[in-house]
Coordinates of all heavy atoms in Angstrom, one line a residue:
V26 N 15.5 -20.4 -14.6 CA 14.4 -20.9 -13.7 C 15.0 -21.5 -12.5 O 14.5 -21.3 -11.3 CB 13.4 -21.8 -14.4 CG1 12.4 -22.4 -13.4 CG2 12.7 -21.1 -15.5
Y27 N 16.1 -22.2 -12.7 CA 16.8 -22.9 -11.6 C 17.9 -22.0 -11.0 O 18.4 -22.3 -9.9 CB 17.3 -24.2 -12.0 CG 16.2 -25.1 -12.6 CD1 16.0 -25.3 -13.9 CD2 15.3 -25.8 -11.7 CE1 15.0 -26.1 -14.4 CE2 14.3 -26.6 -12.2 CZ 14.2 -26.7 -13.5 OH 13.1 -27.5 -14.0
H28 N 18.3 -21.0 -11.7 CA 19.3 -20.1 -11.2 C 18.9 -18.6 -11.4 O 19.4 -17.8 -12.2 CB 20.7 -20.3 -11.9 CG 21.2 -21.6 -11.7 ND1 21.9 -22.0 -10.6 CD2 21.2 -22.8 -12.5 CE1 22.3 -23.2 -10.7 NE2 21.9 -23.7 -11.8
P29 N 17.8 -18.2 -10.6 CA 17.3 -16.9 -10.8 C 18.2 -15.7 -10.5 O 18.0 -14.6 -10.9 CB 16.0 -16.9 -9.9 CG 16.3 -18.0 -8.9 CD 17.1 -19.0 -9.6
E30 N 19.3 -16.1 -9.8 CA 20.3 -15.1 -9.5 C 21.0 -14.5 -10.7 O 21.6 -13.5 -10.7 CB 21.4 -15.6 -8.5 CG 22.3 -16.6 -9.0 CD 21.7 -18.1 -9.1 OE1 20.6 -18.3 -8.7 OE2 22.5 -19.0 -9.5
R31 N 20.8 -15.3 -11.9 CA 21.4 -14.8 -13.1 C 20.4 -13.9 -13.9 O 20.8 -13.4 -15.0 CB 21.7 -16.1 -14.0 CG 22.8 -17.0 -13.4 CD 23.0 -18.1 -14.4 NE 23.8 -19.2 -13.7 CZ 23.9 -20.5 -14.3 NH1 23.3 -20.7 -15.4 NH2 24.6 -21.4 -13.7
L32 N 19.2 -13.7 -13.4 CA 18.3 -12.8 -14.1 C 18.9 -11.3 -14.0 O 19.8 -11.1 -13.2 CB 16.9 -12.8 -13.4 CG 16.1 -14.1 -13.7 CD1 15.0 -14.3 -12.7 CD2 15.6 -14.1 -15.1
P33 N 18.4 -10.4 -14.8 CA 18.9 -9.0 -14.7 C 19.1 -8.5 -13.3 O 18.1 -8.6 -12.5 CB 17.9 -8.2 -15.6 CG 17.3 -9.2 -16.5 CD 17.3 -10.5 -15.8
Q34 N 20.2 -7.9 -13.1 CA 20.6 -7.4 -11.7 C 20.8 -5.9 -11.8 O 21.5 -5.4 -12.7 CB 21.8 -8.1 -11.2 CG 21.7 -9.6 -11.1 CD 21.2 -10.0 -9.8 OE1 21.0 -9.3 -8.9 NE2 21.1 -11.3 -9.6
A35 N 20.3 -5.1 -10.8 CA 20.6 -3.7 -10.7 C 22.0 -3.5 -10.1 O 22.5 -4.3 -9.3 CB 19.5 -3.0 -9.9
S36 N 22.6 -2.3 -10.4 CA 23.9 -2.1 -9.9 C 24.0 -1.4 -8.6 O 25.0 -1.5 -7.9 CB 24.7 -1.2 -10.9 OG 24.0 0.1 -11.1
I37 N 22.8 -0.8 -8.2 CA 22.8 -0.1 -6.9 C 21.7 -0.8 -6.0 O 20.5 -0.9 -6.5 CB 22.4 1.4 -7.0 CG1 23.4 2.0 -8.0 CG2 22.5 2.1 -5.7 CD1 22.9 3.4 -8.5
V38 N 22.0 -1.2 -4.8 CA 21.1 -1.8 -3.9 C 21.1 -1.1 -2.6 O 22.2 -1.1 -1.9 CB 21.3 -3.3 -3.7 CG1 20.3 -4.0 -2.8 CG2 21.3 -4.1 -5.1
E39 N 20.0 -0.5 -2.1 CA 20.1 0.2 -0.8 C 18.8 0.0 0.0 O 17.7 -0.2 -0.6 CB 20.1 1.8 -1.1 CG 21.5 2.3 -1.4 CD 21.6 3.8 -1.3 OE1 20.7 4.4 -0.7 OE2 22.6 4.3 -1.8
E40 N 18.9 0.0 1.3 CA 17.8 -0.2 2.2 C 17.1 1.2 2.3 O 17.7 2.2 2.3 CB 18.2 -0.7 3.5 CG 18.7 -2.1 3.5 CD 19.1 -2.6 4.9 OE1 19.5 -1.8 5.8 OE2 19.1 -3.9 5.1
I41 N 15.8 1.1 2.5 CA 15.0 2.3 2.9 C 14.6 2.1 4.3 O 13.9 1.2 4.7 CB 13.7 2.5 2.0 CG1 14.1 2.6 0.5 CG2 12.9 3.7 2.4 CD1 12.9 2.7 -0.4
I42 N 15.1 3.0 5.2 CA 15.1 2.8 6.6 C 13.8 3.5 7.2 O 13.5 4.6 6.8 CB 16.3 3.4 7.3 CG1 17.6 2.6 6.7 CG2 16.3 3.2 8.8 CD1 17.6 1.1 6.9
S43 N 13.2 2.8 8.2 CA 12.1 3.4 8.9 C 12.5 4.6 9.8 O 13.5 4.4 10.5 CB 11.4 2.4 9.8 OG 10.3 3.0 10.5
P44 N 11.8 5.7 9.7 CA 12.2 6.9 10.5 C 11.7 6.8 12.0 O 12.0 7.7 12.8 CB 11.6 8.0 9.8 CG 10.4 7.4 9.1 CD 10.7 6.0 8.8
C45 N 10.9 5.8 12.3 CA 10.2 5.8 13.6 C 9.8 4.4 14.0 O 9.8 3.4 13.2 CB 9.0 6.7 13.7 SG 7.8 6.3 12.4
D46 N 9.4 4.2 15.3 CA 8.9 2.9 15.8 C 7.3 3.0 15.5 O 6.7 4.0 15.4 CB 9.0 2.8 17.3 CG 10.5 2.6 17.7 OD1 11.4 2.5 16.8 OD2 10.8 2.6 18.9
G47 N 6.7 1.8 15.5 CA 5.3 1.7 15.4 C 4.8 0.6 14.5 O 5.5 -0.5 14.4
Y48 N 3.6 0.8 14.0 CA 3.0 -0.3 13.1 C 2.7 0.4 11.7 O 2.3 1.6 11.7 CB 1.7 -0.8 13.7 CG 1.9 -1.6 15.0 CD1 1.9 -0.9 16.2 CD2 2.1 -3.0 15.0 CE1 2.2 -1.6 17.4 CE2 2.3 -3.7 16.2 CZ 2.3 -3.0 17.4 OH 2.5 -3.7 18.6
V49 N 2.8 -0.4 10.7 CA 2.5 0.1 9.4 C 0.9 0.2 9.3 O 0.3 -0.8 9.3 CB 3.0 -0.7 8.2 CG1 2.6 -0.2 6.9 CG2 4.6 -0.8 8.3
Q50 N 0.4 1.4 9.3 CA -1.0 1.6 9.2 C -1.6 1.5 7.8 O -2.7 1.0 7.6 CB -1.4 3.0 9.8 CG -1.0 3.3 11.2 CD -1.8 2.5 12.2 OE1 -3.0 2.6 12.2 NE2 -1.2 1.8 13.1
K51 N -0.8 2.1 6.9 CA -1.4 2.3 5.6 C -0.2 2.4 4.6 O 0.8 2.9 4.9 CB -2.2 3.5 5.5 CG -2.9 3.8 4.2 CD -3.7 5.2 4.3 CE -4.2 5.6 2.9 NZ -4.8 7.0 3.0
I52 N -0.4 1.8 3.4 CA 0.5 2.0 2.3 C -0.3 2.5 1.1 O -1.3 1.9 0.7 CB 1.2 0.7 1.9 CG1 2.0 0.1 3.1 CG2 2.1 0.9 0.7 CD1 2.6 -1.3 2.8
V53 N 0.0 3.7 0.6 CA -0.6 4.2 -0.6 C -0.1 3.4 -1.8 O 1.0 3.7 -2.3 CB -0.5 5.7 -0.8 CG1 -1.3 6.2 -2.0 CG2 -0.9 6.4 0.4
C54 N -0.8 2.4 -2.2 CA -0.3 1.4 -3.1 C 0.2 2.0 -4.5 O 1.2 1.6 -5.0 CB -1.4 0.3 -3.3 SG -0.8 -1.2 -4.2
D55 N -0.6 2.8 -5.0 CA -0.3 3.5 -6.3 C 1.1 4.2 -6.3 O 1.8 4.2 -7.2 CB -1.3 4.5 -6.7 CG -2.4 4.0 -7.6 OD1 -2.3 2.8 -8.0 OD2 -3.4 4.7 -8.0
E56 N 1.4 4.8 -5.1 CA 2.6 5.5 -5.0 C 3.8 4.6 -5.0 O 4.9 4.9 -5.5 CB 2.6 6.3 -3.6 CG 1.7 7.5 -3.7 CD 2.2 8.6 -4.7 OE1 3.3 9.1 -4.5 OE2 1.5 8.9 -5.6
I57 N 3.7 3.4 -4.5 CA 4.8 2.4 -4.5 C 5.0 2.0 -6.0 O 6.1 1.8 -6.5 CB 4.4 1.1 -3.7 CG1 4.1 1.5 -2.2 CG2 5.6 0.1 -3.8 CD1 5.2 2.2 -1.5

């Protein structure tokens, strides 16, 4: 609880990059 960095960690961490400029209009929540 005081050291959450010790909770289970994934081995691969990657960013998902925006392909364009603009504003987020909608997120299809189920798909996430």
Side-chain angles (χ1 to χ4, degrees):
V26 172
Y27 302 103
H28 297 282
E30 70 279 2
R31 298 180 194 166
L32 288 162
Q34 301 269 356
S36 58
I37 309 165
V38 181
E39 279 194 17
E40 290 180 338
I41 303 177
I42 301 302
S43 175
C45 58
D46 294 353
Y48 296 88
V49 179
Q50 300 286 310
K51 181 182 173 185
I52 300 172
V53 183
C54 193
D55 265 356
E56 287 294 299
I57 304 300

